Amino acid sequence: MRLKNVPGSKEYIAASKFVIHDETERKGKVREYFSNDKPIRIEIGMGKGQFIYELARLNPDINYVGIEKYSSVLLRAIQKMEEEPLDNLIFIRMDAEEITDVFDKDEVDRIYLNFSDPWPKDRHAKRRLESRQFLARYKEILKSKGLIEFKTDNNDLFEFALEEINEEDWALLACTRDLHADAKLNEGNIMTEYEAKFSAAGNPINKYILQRKS
Ligand code: SAM
């Protein structure tokens, strides 16, 4: 999701109390912000934040962190928080490539990846958020038995994501090619902005759930 550059969005974000700033200066800032021991769950590439906002609203006993690379997109999520603030949700503007600089080993309880950019060219495969390079980063920050939940309507990206799973590190707990037709997996499903758009256009939604083995 690339919205047109919104003038002033960087300054607006820099002044927002709903964003963790200078997050790469040291680890531990996220836990410090929440100042409690509740589990931390993150969405990488949250876009305008509809999904994670709704998750946070429904689950006050979990801390949520929404991560987004682009200021103009993150701005929309901040505006929603200003209208109706939640104390268990915070945002970080960053490239997920730096994720291991921000979170401690075993700090994260669950990672959500929704409708990630497909990067269709082979030479860009390592930029895909489900690539083996990203799975290695997730393994560092995710606690033992922690989960990754991934949804996409892009079949090529989903096949790629399945091929990238190293069975020594990860157990595939669930996998469907049509989430909305799977009563069990779809129970409690919260639609993202892209999910609503693509399923309305008739595209089936793929989903997997991975668990860190050790
Ligand atoms: N998750 C939302 C949804 O399902 O509606 C948005 C999907 S949109 C296609 C992908 C989002 O991921 C964009 O907002 C993009 O800026 C963000 N993104 C892509 N690569 C990223 C990265 N390396 N780090 C952080 N965000 C990233």
Side-chain angles (χ1 to χ4, degrees):
M1 184 182 301
R2 287 268 200 122
L3 296 180
K4 218 167 65 181
N5 185 40
V6 178
S9 59
K10 285 204 174 99
E11 294 75 12
Y12 196 91
I13 288 166
S16 175
K17 63 177 179 178
F18 299 118
V19 179
I20 295 186
H21 304 287
D22 303 324
E23 71 287 343
T24 52
E25 267 177 19
R26 66 185 169 88
K27 298 185 186 190
K29 277 210 163 183
V30 170
R31 181 61 76 192
E32 196 179 287
Y33 171 83
F34 290 117
S35 58
N36 62 45
D37 290 332
K38 296 173 185 174
I40 294 174
R41 298 186 179 173
I42 69 178
E43 183 186 9
I44 301 178
M46 67 161 181
K48 295 185 219 160
Q50 174 178 305
F51 169 85
I52 199 162
Y53 184 91
E54 188 58 10
L55 260 187
R57 195 181 65 73
L58 293 171
N59 300 285
D61 287 336
I62 310 277
N63 297 317
Y64 291 93
V65 182
I67 293 169
E68 171 54 49
K69 189 156 122 183
Y70 291 106
S71 306
S72 45
V73 187
L74 173 57
L75 189 64
R76 304 295 180 91
I78 294 173
Q79 286 165 343
K80 174 75 183 156
M81 277 281 272
E82 285 171 349
E83 283 165 26
E84 290 172 70
L86 299 173
D87 60 13
N88 62 331
L89 174 61
I90 188 76
F91 304 121
I92 304 179
R93 196 206 61 74
M94 65 177 279
D95 188 320
E97 282 191 18
E98 296 163 15
I99 199 109
T100 55
D101 298 333
V102 175
F103 292 95
D104 263 326
K105 197 171 164 342
D106 302 338
E107 188 173 18
V108 174
D109 172 82
R110 193 172 300 185
I111 298 173
Y112 296 99
L113 305 169
N114 292 316
F115 298 81
S116 311
D117 291 340
W119 293 104
K121 292 186 179 140
D122 284 348
R123 69 172 192 276
H124 291 147
K126 64 175 192 267
R127 296 188 191 171
R128 298 174 194 149
L129 295 178
E130 298 73 26
S131 65
R132 65 195 65 189
Q133 289 83 358
F134 271 99
L135 287 179
R137 295 179 181 113
Y138 303 152
K139 194 182 162 211
E140 274 192 49
I141 61 169
L142 201 57
K143 68 177 196 188
S144 174
K145 308 292 177 201
L147 303 180
I148 300 176
E149 296 196 16
F150 168 47
K151 296 193 277 191
T152 182
D153 70 316
N154 186 312
N155 295 329
D156 290 342
L157 179 63
F158 195 65
E159 291 312 318
F160 168 84
L162 289 172
E163 283 163 16
E164 292 294 280
I165 300 167
N166 167 351
E167 287 176 15
E168 268 179 35
D169 295 329
W170 304 98
L172 186 63
L173 293 191
C175 180
T176 177
R177 313 288 170 145
D178 192 354
L179 174 64
H180 298 171
D182 183 321
K184 192 160 166 246
L185 269 185
N186 199 42
E187 199 184 329
N189 182 51
I190 294 173
M191 294 242 245
T192 78
E193 286 128 3
Y194 271 62
E195 185 172 354
K197 192 166 91 183
F198 290 128
S199 63
N203 298 7
I205 308 299
N206 303 283
K207 177 171 181 171
Y208 77 41
I209 303 177
L210 277 190
Q211 184 173 51
R212 191 187 144 185
K213 277 190 173 167
S214 56

